[in-house]
Amino acid sequence: MKITIIGTGYVGLVSGACFSEAGVVVSCVDISSEKINKLKEGIIPIYEPGLEAIVKRNLEKGRLSFTTDLEEGLKESEAVFIAVGTPPGEDGSADLQHVLSAATDIGKLMKDYLVIVTKSTVPIGTSEKVRETVRAALKKRGMQIPFDVASNPEFLKEGAAVDDFLRPDRIIVGVESDQAKKIMERIYKPFLLNGHPLIFMDIASAELTKYAANSMLATRISFMNDIANLCELVGADVNSVRKGIGSDPRIGNKFIYPGMGYGGSCFPKDVKAIIHTAEAYGYPLKVIRAVEEVNNYQKEIIFLKIREYFKDDLKDKVFGIWGLSFKPNTDDIREAPSLTLIQKLLEKGAKIKAYDPVAMGEVKKLLGNKIEYSKDLYEAAIDADALILVTEWSEFRIPNYNVLSRLMKQKIIFDGRNIYEPLELKESGFKYFCIGRKI
Ligand code: NAD
């Protein structure tokens, strides 16, 4: 069985590599020749644990190939997956230009029946737009090649993407023809051996499922951030409250950790997009709007605490920042809380020394020499007026407080992820600030 994947970003590359690992022959296509040339040599343009070995193994076995030539990529394929970016447009709606441009290219080049699968996160109705776009391109060629559209939203998490793809909780497929359903069943058969379900539904429901899932997760995060902020006011400890509610199986203990707000390439844009879709239908989606509002506030929460402590005098103060990626185990900095914080501190004239195990290259592309980049976590602490823990990479979990005491100008830690023990820090002579806990 042969398939094509268009787009070799976090989703397209992981999907393509994992399908090939399961025995499917995969041709991955991207418009970026720089990316494709690297990938042909087994060089992975993103940081994703476990991905490099799978790509190299399947390149060698000849099951995985990379090209910028879609015509070449489509040869002998039974399905083509569109996995290109859908960034937010200015009004918050998902920008579909890449998806529809891929659909046009497919219509221009396809030769036989294909299932055209949208894997990108797209608003309800997009698969229909893909169908119309492909039809229009075929019409221009004077051809009538049969095809089906399908929706197959992706639920992998950056940082654990390979494992998520190889061992999915569930696979959602929206299809409206038996032929397309059978092909999708064959493609995904190797991933179902662990008993997790392949759930078929209509296309609009599949498209909405992805937005509903991300909005629900974002809701849990914003809910817990709201509760954490209340804890500080009433003298409660959010860790106790979290354990207390998380032990109720109806609630569960996942995604109820307070912090600096959700970021990344998915939650912020998907929350915006579902609000926009609902508005287009005249429905206000009040809960999800509040989720976004709480998150916008929470992304500033550590900055507000810093400003309060230093009485708004941040000029020439030095801040060591630990962690830049939007979460651990990825180099993705899209919508990362670190960027909001850095911008706010720079506006106040502060100096920043940052360290992240993998994301500094990405931040350098964006901020250049506006901040300093440190070679390790301790270098970022030298002469710092305060340290700020932004992303909870494992290497930040048990720092040597004696070393920090010697290096820092002032012994102050702002912990945006609640990973340190207030008592331990107090005993080591540090001033400690965190989110919603008793200190
Ligand atoms: P990305 O920006 O990392 O990658 C997109 C790739 O598509 C780029 O390499 C780009 O060059 C390529 N591309 C754009 N237009 C093209 C075209 N016409 N032909 C060929 N290639 C083209 O994006 P991503 O993070 O992989 O996200 C892709 C989609 O998957 C988005 O809709 C996103 O919301 C969704 N998604 C992302 C994640 C995630 O964790 N990143 C998880 C689930 C779903």
Side-chain angles (χ1 to χ4, degrees):
M1 163 146 236
K2 155 100 200 291
I3 63 168
T4 307
I5 311 249
I6 303 183
T8 55
Y10 286 89
V11 167
L13 182 57
V14 170
S15 310
C18 292
F19 277 131
S20 69
E21 180 77 355
V24 179
V25 177
V26 184
S27 183
C28 287
V29 182
D30 203 288
I31 41 172
S32 161
S33 48
E34 194 192 335
K35 249 186 201 182
I36 292 296
N37 288 339
K38 277 189 183 160
L39 286 165
K40 277 181 176 169
E41 290 176 32
I43 302 166
I44 311 296
I46 53 169
Y47 176 83
E48 189 57 55
L51 184 58
E52 187 175 343
I54 295 187
V55 169
K56 283 193 168 148
R57 185 161 53 239
N58 289 286
L59 265 175
E60 272 166 29
K61 297 231 157 130
R63 281 198 297 256
L64 181 63
S65 60
F66 296 99
T67 179
T68 50
D69 180 353
L70 181 59
E71 188 168 13
E72 171 70 29
L74 284 177
K75 267 185 199 155
E76 290 167 29
S77 282
E78 293 178 61
V80 53
F81 288 72
I82 301 176
V84 300
T86 47
E90 280 185 5
D91 58 357
S93 65
D95 180 348
L96 294 179
Q97 60 165 314
H98 303 299
V99 171
L100 297 180
S101 144
T104 305
D105 293 345
I106 295 168
K108 279 183 185 164
L109 298 168
M110 65 187 284
K111 297 210 163 68
D112 295 305
Y113 172 85
L114 269 178
V115 188
I116 301 168
V117 189
T118 307
K119 193 168 249 321
S120 301
T121 303
V122 292
I124 300 94
T126 302
S127 297
E128 273 318 305
K129 285 188 182 156
V130 167
R131 195 198 307 271
E132 283 159 23
T133 307
V134 175
R135 255 193 210 138
L138 284 170
K139 203 172 163 200
K140 266 196 181 167
R141 290 164 67 194
M143 309 275 283
Q144 273 197 325
I145 303 170
F147 69 91
D148 278 303
V149 292
S151 164
N152 171 218
E154 182 50 56
F155 295 92
L156 62 77
K157 302 183 287 296
E158 284 177 23
V162 169
D163 202 49
D164 284 347
F165 200 94
L166 293 174
R167 281 169 280 280
D169 301 324
R170 77 310 203 182
I171 298 156
I172 303 290
V173 178
V175 271
E176 282 162 9
S177 95
D178 280 348
Q179 190 174 3
K181 187 174 176 209
K182 279 193 188 118
I183 289 174
M184 294 303 284
E185 255 164 358
R186 264 201 299 137
I187 293 172
Y188 274 113
K189 198 161 178 231
F191 301 92
L192 302 175
L193 303 174
N194 61 5
H196 292 305
L198 174 57
I199 304 172
F200 284 105
M201 56 184 73
D202 64 87
I203 289 176
S205 302
E207 288 171 338
L208 184 52
T209 298
K210 174 66 191 178
Y211 283 102
N214 276 359
S215 301
M216 168 62 101
L217 295 171
T219 301
R220 287 172 71 95
I221 293 172
S222 277
F223 173 82
M224 216 50 208
N225 282 331
D226 234 6
I227 294 292
N229 296 340
L230 179 62
C231 282
E232 287 184 14
L233 296 173
V234 301
D237 189 314
V238 74
N239 269 359
S240 305
V241 177
R242 178 176 56 74
K243 282 181 201 142
I245 64 170
S247 55
D248 181 335
R250 292 170 303 175
I251 296 173
N253 56 16
K254 302 247 170 77
F255 269 79
I256 53 170
Y257 286 78
M260 294 173 65
Y262 59 77
S265 66
C266 292
F267 288 5
K269 89 170 165 60
D270 294 349
V271 163
K272 272 194 175 54
I274 195 173
I275 291 171
H276 190 273
T277 298
E279 265 171 8
Y281 286 86
Y283 190 72
L285 275 185
K286 290 180 194 159
V287 172
I288 302 177
R289 275 164 190 262
V291 166
E292 191 179 40
E293 195 185 323
V294 170
N295 198 59
N296 289 340
Y297 174 71
Q298 202 68 17
K299 279 176 108 171
E300 293 191 11
I301 197 90
I302 284 289
F303 173 73
L304 296 176
K305 286 174 192 273
I306 292 169
R307 204 175 65 177
E308 189 184 345
Y309 179 80
F310 288 101
K311 301 193 170 50
D312 208 15
D313 179 15
L314 302 182
K315 186 146 178 42
D316 294 328
K317 294 273 181 319
V318 177
F319 292 95
I321 291 192
W322 283 358
L324 297 168
S325 53
F326 85 93
K327 66 175 183 180
N329 297 319
T330 179
D331 59 352
D332 199 341
I333 57 160
R334 290 177 279 188
E335 302 272 344
S338 64
L339 299 179
T340 312
L341 176 67
I342 288 172
Q343 190 198 337
K344 294 255 164 209
L345 291 172
L346 289 178
E347 277 167 14
K348 290 278 175 187
K351 295 200 168 121
I352 288 166
K353 298 164 96 172
Y355 170 70
D356 186 286
V358 301
M360 287 195 291
E362 291 301 306
V363 173
K364 247 183 216 168
K365 284 186 211 160
L366 200 71
L367 298 179
N369 58 10
K370 285 186 187 155
I371 65 171
E372 265 182 52
Y373 303 90
S374 304
K375 72 172 189 315
D376 62 30
L377 69 169
Y378 294 108
E379 192 177 274
I382 295 172
D383 290 332
D385 289 286
L387 258 180
I388 312 167
L389 184 281
V390 178
T391 316
E392 68 278 31
W393 286 90
S394 308
E395 66 180 271
F396 301 140
R397 287 195 178 263
I398 318 173
N400 185 325
Y401 295 123
N402 291 333
V403 174
L404 288 180
S405 297
R406 283 201 304 275
L407 296 177
M408 294 175 69
K409 199 191 297 170
Q410 303 196 58
K411 291 167 68 173
I412 305 171
I413 293 184
F414 291 89
D415 176 0
R417 303 289 169 184
N418 284 354
I419 66 171
Y420 300 126
E421 282 312 317
L423 194 59
E424 198 182 352
L425 278 154
K426 206 172 173 187
E427 283 169 4
S428 306
F430 280 83
K431 286 211 166 66
Y432 178 62
F433 299 87
C434 50
I435 295 174
R437 290 157 81 195
K438 277 194 169 168
I439 45 175

